[in-house]
Amino acid sequence: NMYKMITFFSVILGLVLTGLLFWALNFPPIVITLKGENQTFYAGERADIVLSQEDAKEFITEFIKVRYSLSGPHVEGMLKSIAPFAMEDYLLEAKKALAKDFPDSTKLDGFVQTVANIEPVVTEKDAQASFDKIVRIGGVPILVPTTIEMKIIKDRPSHWNPWGLFVLGVIEHEKR
């Protein structure tokens, strides 16, 4: 009889501890952002993050830098780089666009694309940005003024995406 009670309470304790473990693992990670050159350590606590328009602009700027910086035969690496910032549907669309724009990336040895003059604009309803794509083919630079409209959603922050913002879609307009 004693063994049955000990077994029963052990099972109950195990279930409670398992439940507590799953409950604790469902919290979003603690994210601490540092700006400047000195490294500072902070004791963190879990709290809901309220993002400002400046935070959203910072996210858009980082996304544009990662999405539109390409070099040579490594253009497919961009998809891995933007994965923390984008939803699956957008990644599939970006992959299709990449395959259409660069059908044979092995022949892109002299190709480099960077971005400059990023100017994000964030309102309550939408997000836009204008920037200059600088395309270098064989060392010759070509400037392409570009404007994008973005659909962004808020989700849980992560180590790679401390804002917790994710791109659902991008509409790109190039001025040629």
Side-chain angles (χ1 to χ4, degrees):
N1 227 0
M2 178 79 150
Y3 292 115
K4 287 182 182 179
M5 285 184 66
I6 291 173
T7 304
F8 175 76
F9 285 115
S10 296
V11 168
I12 296 297
L13 180 65
L15 290 173
V16 168
L17 290 176
T18 302
L20 285 173
L21 178 66
F22 283 114
W23 178 70
L25 290 176
N26 276 333
F27 280 127
I30 295 175
V31 178
I32 300 173
T33 58
L34 302 175
K35 296 190 178 187
E37 293 181 11
N38 296 332
Q39 188 171 6
T40 307
F41 295 93
Y42 295 99
E45 66 179 64
R46 297 194 185 276
D48 289 334
I49 298 172
V50 178
L51 295 175
S52 67
Q53 283 191 344
E54 289 304 313
D55 294 327
K57 288 179 180 180
E58 188 177 330
F59 168 79
I60 291 168
T61 300
E62 187 64 26
F63 173 80
I64 290 170
K65 287 179 184 176
V66 173
R67 166 61 181 91
Y68 293 97
S69 294
L70 307 169
S71 66
H74 308 291
V75 294
E76 289 89 6
M78 176 272 299
L79 292 172
K80 290 181 183 174
S81 299
I82 65 168
F85 304 112
M87 300 301 283
E88 280 297 317
D89 292 344
Y90 177 72
L91 290 173
L92 291 172
E93 290 300 317
K95 186 174 184 176
K96 288 178 190 174
L98 203 58
K100 180 182 154 201
D101 292 344
F102 305 104
D104 188 8
S105 63
T106 59
K107 297 179 181 177
L108 296 174
D109 282 336
F111 174 83
V112 176
Q113 177 177 290
T114 57
V115 293
N117 304 324
I118 303 170
E119 296 177 20
V121 177
V122 178
T123 64
E124 289 295 320
K125 295 187 177 187
D126 62 356
Q128 300 176 350
S130 59
F131 55 96
D132 296 325
K133 278 196 251 181
I134 304 163
V135 180
R136 295 180 191 274
I137 300 172
V140 179
I142 301 167
L143 187 71
V144 182
T146 306
T147 303
I148 61 172
E149 298 173 39
M150 305 173 72
K151 289 292 181 197
I152 299 173
I153 62 167
K154 173 91 173 89
D155 201 2
R156 294 174 59 173
S158 69
H159 175 74
W160 296 277
N161 184 347
W163 303 276
L165 298 174
F166 294 88
V167 176
L168 281 175
V170 173
I171 299 172
E172 187 175 327
H173 308 281
E174 291 181 353
K175 298 173 188 166
R176 294 185 185 218

